[in-house]
Amino acid sequence: MNQEELQSLCIEAGESKFRGGQLFEWMYRHGISSFDSMSNVNKSFREHLNEHFIIQTLAVENQFPSKEDKSVKILFRTHDGHFIETVSMVDKNRHTVCLSSQVGCALDCHFCATGKMGLKRNLSTGEIVDQLIYVRESIDQSITNVVFMGMGEPFHNYDNVLNASDIFHSPKGFNLASTRITISTVGLLPQINQFIKEKRRYKLAISLNASNDKVRSEIMPINKKWSIVDLVNAGKEYSNQKKRLIMFEYVLLKGINDSEEDALELARLLQGIPCKINLIPYNEIEGKYQRPDESTITKFSEILHNYRDEYRVLVRWSKGQDIAAGCGQLAGQNG
Ligand code: SF4
């Protein structure tokens, strides 16, 4: 529940609206796991809360620390027996948490383990927030960034993802700046347009993964619905309206989208758009796709750099590959 919902809950129970703010702070700033810990809330109201509400929605099923870096993958069980995964990645002073927004995903991008599960259901706002509360309580480093790049397409669960983001952003909640919260979409055009109209200024990433419709439609069925040019234009609109750089993500797949021509075509496609480009060398799962070799990745990145030096191009090596926690590898498995 957000602050307004908690205030209504309090008023309905005969308490003051002010109590709603107290509940919000106890739950999200302090991350308490029991209503009985709310020391400034009267006993009879705490009993009412215990009788009618739950404060934790997820149970921890397992935890997988990486041996190669400081990332940890956490496997949660939902109340109805589904599994979702969250990844904590610590790199010097930066602690990024990659959150899931759905159990599975309906979009079936062919290179992604989550897509192979199909969609089971959306996560509630509470289930999204609980992932972050658990990481904050269990990993001894302040959270600096949140990315919705785990299981699911965040814009298929638009309201809950934005509600959770508001709780992360609130000074009475997690107090994360809006620049520290990134929502990544494969490009649901109506929701991107809706997001552009919002007052909220969270960062947006569009997962492009190709430089033309032919290749994109082969690896991402959603591309048959909205063309790559429409998506890129929506990204441009986001940058212009929000005065914030749109991020385009590009998973590099050997022999599919990693040639020098692909890089040039991508550079031309993004010409004139204030953006960042994240190149993600593919993290292999079972299936036909492979990661390009390092020289191909370097060449691809150089072509983009050289085309126009205002592109900010970053090669993002995923963390936690030994625990299948890299981009596109999450599948809710206990092992
Ligand atoms: S890449 Fe994202 S949108 Fe595509 S199938 Fe995987 S989780 Fe879904």
Side-chain angles (χ1 to χ4, degrees):
M1 289 187 180
N2 60 27
Q3 181 148 318
E4 290 70 41
E5 289 165 334
L6 288 169
Q7 284 168 340
S8 306
L9 175 160
C10 290
I11 292 165
E12 273 165 31
E15 291 286 327
S16 70
K17 190 175 165 186
F18 171 76
R19 278 259 184 274
Q22 289 180 318
L23 296 194
F24 189 92
E25 284 193 49
W26 278 117
M27 289 164 63
Y28 305 128
R29 181 188 284 176
H30 303 297
I32 53 151
S33 54
S34 158
F35 293 115
D36 296 322
S37 309
M38 298 177 169
S39 54
N40 57 359
V41 172
N42 62 65
K43 192 161 178 264
S44 65
F45 188 43
R46 291 202 310 259
E47 280 167 5
H48 172 80
L49 293 170
N50 273 322
E51 215 171 296
H52 295 95
F53 300 95
I54 53 164
I55 198 161
Q56 276 182 320
T57 58
L58 296 175
V60 179
E61 183 74 11
N62 213 336
Q63 205 157 302
F64 306 92
S66 166
K67 292 187 183 75
E68 294 171 357
D69 53 52
K70 285 171 138 187
S71 49
V72 182
K73 181 170 80 173
I74 301 138
L75 180 72
F76 292 104
R77 185 169 21 86
T78 63
H79 67 89
D80 50 353
H82 293 301
F83 293 101
I84 58 160
E85 291 172 327
T86 305
V87 184
S88 149
M89 294 162 285
V90 174
D91 189 6
K92 299 190 185 98
N93 293 330
R94 202 177 162 96
H95 182 184
T96 304
V97 184
C98 179
L99 298 177
S100 290
S101 56
Q102 297 184 301
V103 184
C105 182
L107 291 176
D108 193 25
C109 302
H110 295 333
F111 49 83
C112 171
T114 310
K116 297 191 188 313
M117 296 169 63
L119 176 66
K120 310 282 191 256
R121 69 168 173 83
N122 279 341
L123 294 179
S124 67
T125 304
E127 287 167 328
I128 296 170
V129 173
D130 252 7
Q131 296 173 57
L132 202 64
I133 290 181
Y134 179 76
V135 172
R136 186 177 59 184
E137 300 307 310
S138 61
I139 292 174
D140 189 20
Q141 175 140 346
S142 299
I143 295 166
T144 56
N145 294 73
V146 168
V147 294
F148 283 95
M149 297 182 185
M151 293 165 68
E153 160 55 53
F155 276 171
H156 263 170
N157 189 10
Y158 190 91
D159 290 340
N160 290 340
V161 164
L162 286 185
N163 273 339
S165 301
D166 292 345
I167 291 169
F168 301 152
H169 180 46
S170 166
K172 290 183 176 176
F174 290 73
N175 199 20
L176 286 171
S178 59
T179 49
R180 302 282 183 167
I181 299 169
T182 303
I183 299 172
S184 172
T185 175
V186 290
L188 308 186
L189 203 56
Q191 284 88 340
I192 294 177
N193 289 332
Q194 186 180 349
F195 185 64
I196 292 171
K197 291 194 196 111
E198 301 269 358
K199 285 205 185 92
R200 295 139 149 158
R201 298 187 70 237
Y202 306 127
K203 283 167 69 179
L204 182 65
I206 297 179
S207 190
L208 213 54
N209 308 327
S211 52
N212 60 59
D213 282 323
K214 184 172 175 294
V215 174
R216 196 166 193 267
S217 297
E218 271 166 23
I219 56 177
M220 301 171 75
I222 189 71
N223 194 65
K224 296 187 183 116
K225 212 158 180 187
W226 297 291
S227 80
I228 202 163
V229 171
D230 288 342
L231 272 189
V232 167
N233 285 338
K236 185 176 182 179
E237 185 68 9
Y238 168 87
S239 287
N240 290 340
Q241 295 286 333
K242 304 279 183 192
K243 306 282 175 264
R244 208 151 257 188
L245 291 184
I246 181 78
M247 184 194 291
F248 290 108
E249 295 172 302
Y250 194 104
V251 175
L252 283 161
L253 303 163
K254 184 176 182 175
I256 306 284
N257 63 3
D258 64 341
S259 70
E260 295 182 16
E261 295 73 51
D262 291 320
L264 267 175
E265 194 175 26
L266 181 65
R268 284 193 290 266
L269 180 71
L270 301 182
Q271 188 160 15
I273 300 177
C275 64
K276 282 194 230 175
I277 305 169
N278 260 359
L279 300 176
I280 306 167
Y282 181 57
N283 300 308
E284 293 179 10
I285 55 170
E286 269 176 37
K288 62 177 181 177
Y289 297 107
Q290 291 169 326
R291 168 184 289 203
D293 54 44
E294 235 170 297
S295 61
T296 309
I297 296 166
T298 309
K299 183 81 200 155
F300 197 98
S301 159
E302 278 171 4
I303 291 172
L304 289 171
H305 268 298
N306 294 343
Y307 194 80
R308 286 188 41 186
D309 54 13
E310 71 255 36
Y311 286 159
R312 291 172 61 186
V313 186
L314 197 81
V315 178
R316 210 178 75 206
W317 298 95
S318 295
K319 295 191 173 298
Q321 286 170 57
D322 61 322
I323 48 168
C327 279
Q329 292 184 312
L330 302 183
Q333 282 169 355
N334 199 352

